[in-house]
Amino acid sequence: MQLYVERFLTAQLKGARRDALAVIEDALASGMSVPEVHCSIIRAAQYEVGALWQKNAISIAEEHVATAVASLALSWLYPKLPRVPDNGKRVLMACVEGEMHELGARLASDFLEMAGFEVRYVGANVPTDSLVSLVASERPDLLALSVTMPFHERSLRDAIQAVRSAVPDVPIVVGGHAFRDTPQVAASLGLEHVGVDPDALVTAAKRAVGMST
Amino acid sequence: MSRRAPAPSQADLDALSREFALLCDEQGVLIWHDERAPRLVNATLGVSLHSLAVPGTEPKIEFMLQALRRGDEARFEISLRDGGRPVTVAMRGSRTERGLLFVGSLVAQEFGDALSQLESTMTELSEMHRQSEKQRFELARLHGELGDSSRALLTMHGELDDKLDSLRRADEIRTRLVANVSHEFRTPLNSILGLSRLLLDRVDGELSVEQERQLRFIRQSAESLAEMVNDLLDLSKAEAGKHRLNPRTFRIEDLLGALRGMMQPLLTNQETRFVVEEPPTPVSLDTDESKVAQVLRNLVTNALKFTENGEVRVTAMEEGDMVVFRVIDTGIGIAPENLEHIFDEFSQIDSEVQRRVKGTGLGLALSRRFAQILGGTLTAESTLGKGSTFTLRIPRVHEEVAAMETIASASQQIDPSRAPVLVVEDDRQTMFLYERYLTGSGFQVIPARTIEDARRCIDRVRPAAIVLDVMLDGESTWTFLAQLKDAPATRDIPVMVVTVVDRLQKARALGADEFWLKPVDRERLVRKLGELARRGGSVPKILIIDDDSVARYLIRRLLSETPYHVIEAANGAEGVRLARLEQPSLIMLDFFLGDATAFDVLDDLKVDPRTRGIPVIIQTSKELADVERERLAVDTSAILSKQNLSRELAIARIREALLNAGVKVEAGHGHT
């Protein structure tokens, strides 16, 4: 496993797209499941990237390149997602305003789709106004907000408040790295926080839309 | 010598700079900053570098400070806060005696910002990619399902084709049967009727009383047979859906009056009263009168048959939109177990009265079918030994009539966006077809059922085109057409001439003057000849073209006392030859000539100037099968036949006509 992560990471940092995808393919061929690849390789490698930056081992430029490769790998995996039958529920997935890290949201979207949800992925840094009008017009069965940096707590609060006053009947769930270790923030907003565990997200999502878990 | 410009002010430089400088103590607390630092990273004295950092990135700050404390030179990227957003700052720092000195650059952030643009594009691309993948997946699934469906469809197709084949064959057989029955049965029947009439008219000598009585029995039998054949054919046509509705407006009082008259001869039994009750207020209907009459006649005839003494009463009344006719008798009644079967074809209840009474057993089946065609129902109630009530319930205005009114009233409003097409047609079914086919193509159908209506319409609106059924009103239609073409105002309106495939009317179109039913009535024939003789000069000759020798004989006998010279021909070719040769004053042409039709003969007669002007009377048995229709297709190819009217054909022709006349469909042509 560790070997795959290392190989992937190396390729990521060099921006070597083909090599990175080759690692994914090798992993799948060896019998690893797609969800495992998601978490054990791509996500693990991405955490490494973060750590490397923290250690000042890589620059912001290299971090961007690595993220791009990870993003590509997720796209590559998408057609291979093992799916259960459509459960008829739609989820709108967005990063709050200012939040540029979207890989977590991408990953979460994939897991939700594997669980039968239909996911409308809106991406990083969604201005609160846009978010509100999107939710109002699309009327998803669930709104999922991703926050990676605790810095964006304010943004999250604004977003929650705005959505709740405009479209109070749409349930909301919050996830991401930001409050992984501080669930009380989500609790203070009256929300379930699922951290970074995809299974917890799927369970919470099902509960929120009234499905049996 | 070039001169340097004076140096710009520090303030100007600072304003543009993306860099700043700081001095911290060993713990990272700010003890000095330059002019730019507050603007760029919110630096204030006395705060720690950690507090300027984006929460969560403090460890890196500490890491950097540690490096500097060790004496290493630091080149670090850190995340500081710029107001509400994080900025990446490239710091270079070193340890000095004054403290830890830093120079920070936001260029890294600019770079990051530029990258963000790319990233949002990438997000969109990812989403698009997801969508297209989803679609591909769906497509593959659908493809699989389609494959299965296709296979199933193919199988069904095969089965349907087979069914269709057998249905077609059954229909062909039925049609041929009907045609054969018609011709084969009627020819000898007509012979019997004609000859017996001849004998009874004492044309060839006196009759004894017994002989007369015998002849009358013969006639009665032949008439029964003829009635049976007619019923059979009617039913057959009704089931094949080939009965046309001929609606007209009529009053119940008139219908009932005629019914009374027709039933008179049947009221031989003094014991039974026949009462016809008129409705309390006058009622007029707009539906097929002859079918209503036929049903009532059938019901009354049955009632009279099965009522030995008592009463047969006919009532009629309006019930909302419906008219309800009841035939109530006090006869032998029908047992409950038989009641459901009386409307079956050929069902005859086995009973004494029944056995005494003749009947084909078709009457009620046919009546019920007619009731359906009239848009209504025919039901029966009965108590054995007490009597029966038959109820015919039909809409007062047949829905076809109502629909026609709708078309007519719709045409009262001229729609400026549509080209108005005047359709002169009295057959409602056909009018519907026009309405349906043409309205969808941007035309507005203005219906006219008579030439009168058509004239009134032309006064009101100038149509873009006219569709004219020449069979509508005989002479007056041709006159109308001629007038249209004469008048400068209407000369250029394209007129499409349409005719029915009905062979009788086609014959008229080709120039036949009249139609007579066989067997020919002597008086009528003589009268006709009288008229013609007044026109002509020399010895009046009559040419009979008929493949049936008995029919020819009959005419000859009928005219034996008259000055007319009868010439006979047994087939069409011979008939035409003789016509040319002898120039008769009148030709009597049997419709069904064996292996040729009257049309062939008519064509030949009309084509030749020698014979063109000779009046032709077509003789026919009442109804013939549709077998000729196919043959007629050859003759009517030049004219748009209603029967073959297809939407595309109709529209294409009309469009052509309109284009040729320079009329555009979209424009609001047609206003006077």
Side-chain angles (χ1 to χ4, degrees):
Chain A
M1 180 74 69
Q2 197 47 35
L3 189 60
Y4 287 126
V5 176
E6 278 174 26
R7 279 176 57 198
F8 189 74
L9 187 60
T10 311
Q12 263 189 299
L13 293 171
K14 283 194 298 199
R17 298 190 314 271
R18 272 185 237 285
D19 293 350
L21 294 180
V23 177
I24 304 288
E25 287 297 313
D26 286 350
L28 290 171
S30 79
M32 202 182 291
S33 74
V34 167
E36 276 181 274
V37 171
H38 272 107
C39 296
S40 317
I41 302 181
I42 301 177
R43 187 172 67 170
Q46 202 60 21
Y47 283 162
E48 258 310 297
V49 168
L52 284 171
W53 187 81
Q54 285 279 47
K55 287 189 265 191
N56 206 39
I58 57 170
S59 70
I60 197 83
E62 285 161 295
E63 197 215 316
H64 278 289
V65 166
T67 306
V69 173
S71 178
L72 181 67
L74 283 177
S75 295
W76 181 259
L77 271 182
Y78 184 73
K80 306 178 207 271
L81 292 181
R83 290 168 186 272
V84 301
D86 202 1
N87 63 23
K89 302 291 181 185
R90 282 173 48 245
V91 181
L92 193 87
M93 170 78 71
C95 297
V96 301
E97 185 166 354
E99 181 60 77
M100 303 304 299
H101 297 85
E102 57 164 348
L103 227 50
R106 289 276 300 283
L107 212 101
S109 298
D110 283 353
F111 273 87
L112 284 170
E113 283 205 26
M114 283 191 274
F117 288 87
E118 186 194 322
V119 179
R120 164 95 153 96
Y121 179 75
V122 191
N125 187 22
V126 180
T128 301
D129 297 339
S130 312
L131 184 68
V132 172
S133 50
L134 259 177
V135 176
S137 66
E138 304 226 347
R139 291 258 164 214
D141 297 294
L142 173 69
L143 171 65
L145 291 174
S146 172
V147 194
T148 303
M149 294 173 64
F151 184 67
H152 296 115
E153 185 185 324
R154 159 104 264 134
S155 220
L156 177 67
R157 284 186 187 278
D158 289 345
I160 305 279
Q161 194 175 33
V163 169
R164 272 193 180 141
S165 52
V167 235
D169 51 327
V170 177
I172 307 178
V173 81
V174 173
H177 206 271
F179 313 115
R180 181 170 76 170
D181 301 319
T182 52
Q184 57 268 32
V185 175
S188 75
L189 287 164
L191 293 173
E192 188 163 351
H193 179 256
V194 295
V196 296
D197 178 6
D199 294 326
L201 170 63
V202 168
T203 307
K206 284 183 177 167
R207 227 186 350 249
V209 297
M211 285 172 60
S212 61
T213 52
Chain B
M1 181 170 85
S2 60
R3 292 181 29 123
R4 282 185 70 195
S9 75
Q10 191 59 40
D12 287 342
L13 283 170
D14 284 351
L16 287 173
S17 177
R18 303 301 286 152
E19 293 186 335
F20 60 92
L22 301 171
L23 196 62
C24 300
D25 66 13
E26 300 275 310
Q27 275 64 53
V29 176
L30 264 71
I31 52 181
W32 174 85
H33 62 74
D34 69 354
E35 304 289 326
R36 302 168 297 184
R39 180 171 58 81
L40 293 174
V41 292
N42 285 322
T44 39
L45 294 175
V47 304
S48 73
L49 210 49
H50 306 75
S51 66
L52 293 180
V54 167
T57 63
E58 294 88 344
K60 197 170 187 183
I61 306 281
E62 191 51 39
F63 197 33
M64 178 174 71
L65 292 172
Q66 279 171 9
L68 281 173
R69 286 189 219 119
R70 279 200 301 271
D72 297 338
E73 233 197 34
R75 285 161 64 131
F76 270 75
E77 277 183 5
I78 56 173
S79 279
L80 299 181
R81 276 179 301 176
D82 165 23
R85 65 167 198 153
V87 288
T88 305
V89 181
M91 296 287 259
R92 288 184 67 168
S94 69
R95 198 179 188 197
T96 70
E97 325 86 52
R98 308 257 202 104
L100 305 176
L101 178 63
F102 294 99
V103 173
S105 166
L106 266 59
V107 172
Q109 182 56 38
E110 324 262 288
F111 176 64
D113 287 344
L115 282 173
S116 297
Q117 300 288 336
L118 265 175
E119 274 161 1
S120 47
T121 308
M122 272 192 55
T123 305
E124 283 167 32
L125 279 172
S126 310
E127 180 57 6
M128 267 166 56
H129 175 252
R130 289 166 80 90
Q131 293 301 332
S132 76
E133 283 301 310
K134 274 188 238 195
Q135 277 169 5
R136 205 165 56 83
F137 183 67
E138 251 321 277
L139 270 170
R141 195 182 59 79
L142 282 172
H143 191 74
E145 282 182 13
L146 261 175
D148 295 335
S149 301
S150 300
R151 273 185 287 280
L153 264 174
L154 273 171
T155 317
M156 247 172 64
H157 258 269
E159 290 174 14
L160 276 172
D161 269 336
D162 293 337
K163 276 247 170 66
L164 195 66
D165 272 338
S166 45
L167 276 172
R168 245 189 241 130
R169 260 177 282 133
D171 197 50
E172 269 172 45
I173 292 171
R174 177 210 285 274
T175 310
R176 253 182 279 136
L177 182 68
V178 166
N180 287 344
V181 165
S182 168
H183 188 63
E184 303 302 325
F185 276 65
R186 283 194 168 125
T187 306
L189 269 176
N190 289 334
S191 302
I192 295 171
L193 288 169
L195 285 165
S196 56
R197 177 87 260 150
L198 214 78
L199 286 165
L200 283 168
D201 284 349
R202 282 130 169 104
V203 170
D204 281 291
E206 248 320 314
L207 292 172
S208 75
V209 169
E210 267 316 302
Q211 281 171 324
E212 175 156 354
R213 177 180 290 154
Q214 287 162 4
L215 273 169
R216 291 203 190 280
F217 283 143
I218 291 173
R219 276 195 75 85
Q220 270 171 35
S221 301
E223 273 162 6
S224 287
L225 254 178
E227 198 186 299
M228 185 159 55
V229 168
N230 290 343
D231 275 357
L232 190 67
L233 283 172
D234 266 343
L235 189 61
S236 188
K237 270 178 67 172
E239 283 176 2
K242 289 186 166 76
H243 261 289
R244 271 175 33 153
L245 192 81
N246 298 309
R248 38 183 294 255
T249 315
F250 62 97
R251 298 184 316 161
I252 278 199
E253 302 79 59
D254 296 333
L255 175 77
L256 294 176
L259 183 69
R260 241 189 254 110
M262 265 187 284
M263 296 290 105
Q264 268 315 116
L266 292 181
L267 299 173
T268 49
N269 180 2
Q270 303 296 353
E271 307 285 332
T272 309
R273 272 188 328 140
F274 179 54
V275 179
V276 175
E277 255 182 46
E278 309 221 334
T281 51
V283 181
S284 77
L285 291 98
D286 210 333
T287 184
D288 190 331
E289 184 183 12
S290 75
K291 289 195 174 59
V292 179
Q294 218 167 322
V295 174
L296 288 176
R297 273 203 306 277
N298 174 241
L299 295 176
V300 170
T301 312
N302 282 348
L304 288 170
K305 267 189 232 168
F306 295 110
T307 307
E308 294 212 298
N309 53 43
E311 177 185 273
V312 171
R313 174 179 295 267
V314 179
T315 67
M317 60 187 81
E318 249 186 309
E319 273 179 28
D321 286 335
M322 308 288 268
V323 172
V324 183
F325 294 92
R326 285 193 180 82
V327 177
I328 309 155
D329 70 61
T330 58
I332 58 173
I334 306 164
E337 59 271 19
N338 292 324
L339 202 53
E340 42 183 271
H341 294 298
I342 54 171
F343 292 106
D344 294 344
E345 299 166 25
F346 296 117
S347 85
Q348 292 268 32
I349 318 279
D350 204 19
S351 82
E352 224 210 274
V353 178
Q354 260 280 20
R355 266 174 261 135
R356 265 189 269 139
V357 156
K358 63 182 162 116
T360 61
L362 283 177
L364 282 176
L366 185 62
S367 293
R368 179 168 262 182
R369 195 69 188 89
F370 277 1
Q372 278 171 11
I373 293 173
L374 291 164
T377 56
L378 177 62
T379 52
E381 292 158 334
S382 184
T383 313
L384 201 58
K386 291 282 178 60
S388 316
T389 300
F390 281 76
T391 308
L392 172 68
R393 190 184 293 270
I394 54 170
R396 196 178 63 77
V397 176
H398 194 282
E399 61 173 9
E400 274 184 33
V401 176
M404 274 296 282
E405 304 303 316
T406 312
I407 298 175
S409 59
S411 75
Q412 288 304 319
Q413 280 286 83
I414 298 298
D415 181 347
S417 68
R418 293 165 170 271
V421 176
L422 172 64
V423 178
V424 191
E425 172 60 62
D426 67 346
D427 176 47
R428 290 172 211 246
Q429 291 283 30
T430 312
M431 185 62 86
F432 289 154
L433 282 175
Y434 281 123
E435 217 267 334
R436 240 181 290 145
Y437 293 160
L438 298 180
T439 308
S441 296
F443 298 100
Q444 179 176 12
V445 168
I446 305 180
R449 282 181 59 210
T450 63
I451 297 296
E452 268 312 299
D453 288 347
R455 284 185 204 279
R456 269 196 290 269
C457 166
I458 302 252
D459 287 339
R460 195 163 55 90
V461 161
R462 185 177 189 275
I466 301 176
V467 178
L468 181 64
D469 173 6
V470 286
M471 298 295 75
L472 192 67
D473 218 336
E475 275 302 316
S476 40
T477 311
W478 288 111
T479 313
F480 177 60
L481 184 59
Q483 283 169 356
L484 281 175
K485 290 301 166 188
D486 246 346
T490 53
R491 174 177 301 154
D492 297 320
I493 304 178
V495 179
M496 299 197 52
V497 165
V498 171
T499 188
V500 272
V501 179
D502 188 311
R503 62 277 170 290
L504 298 180
Q505 292 162 322
K506 170 63 160 41
R508 196 177 276 156
L510 290 178
D513 296 75
E514 298 190 31
F515 305 95
W516 289 9
L517 289 183
K518 286 173 158 177
V520 171
D521 182 82
R522 179 172 185 272
E523 277 180 36
R524 192 179 180 194
L525 179 60
V526 171
R527 210 181 328 126
K528 181 69 185 176
L529 292 171
E531 282 169 31
L532 295 175
R534 277 190 278 281
R535 294 192 217 159
S538 55
V539 177
K541 286 179 265 186
I542 298 176
L543 172 61
I544 304 170
I545 312 178
D546 195 327
D547 63 341
D548 176 30
S549 51
V550 178
R552 295 198 304 268
Y553 172 77
L554 279 170
I555 304 281
R556 184 185 283 285
R557 289 310 300 153
L558 286 179
L559 296 175
S560 57
E561 302 296 300
T562 64
Y564 301 109
H565 179 57
V566 174
I567 311 166
E568 293 180 37
N571 60 56
E574 179 67 6
V576 171
R577 188 185 71 79
L578 286 172
R580 288 188 189 133
L581 190 61
E582 302 277 352
Q583 303 279 301
S585 326
L586 174 70
I587 299 177
M588 299 200 67
L589 174 60
D590 180 39
F591 183 76
F592 219 159
L593 283 173
D595 57 353
T597 67
F599 298 149
D600 304 322
V601 178
L602 276 172
D603 277 341
D604 292 338
L605 290 174
K606 294 307 164 184
V607 138
D608 192 328
R610 288 172 289 176
T611 52
R612 185 178 298 158
I614 306 174
V616 178
I617 293 179
I618 294 211
Q619 292 191 138
T620 177
S621 304
K622 185 173 133 220
E623 289 294 353
L624 297 175
D626 306 327
V627 129
E628 300 85 71
R629 240 169 257 246
E630 284 118 54
R631 308 236 286 251
L632 285 176
V634 173
D635 292 293
T636 57
S637 58
I639 308 172
L640 250 195
S641 106
K642 279 193 260 198
Q643 229 66 18
N644 295 332
L645 194 71
S646 78
R647 175 202 177 118
E648 286 73 31
L649 191 61
I651 294 164
R653 292 288 176 91
I654 291 187
R655 277 212 182 111
E656 219 175 273
L658 289 173
L659 285 173
N660 288 344
V663 175
K664 302 217 186 356
V665 175
E666 293 82 29
H669 273 255
H671 281 279
T672 330

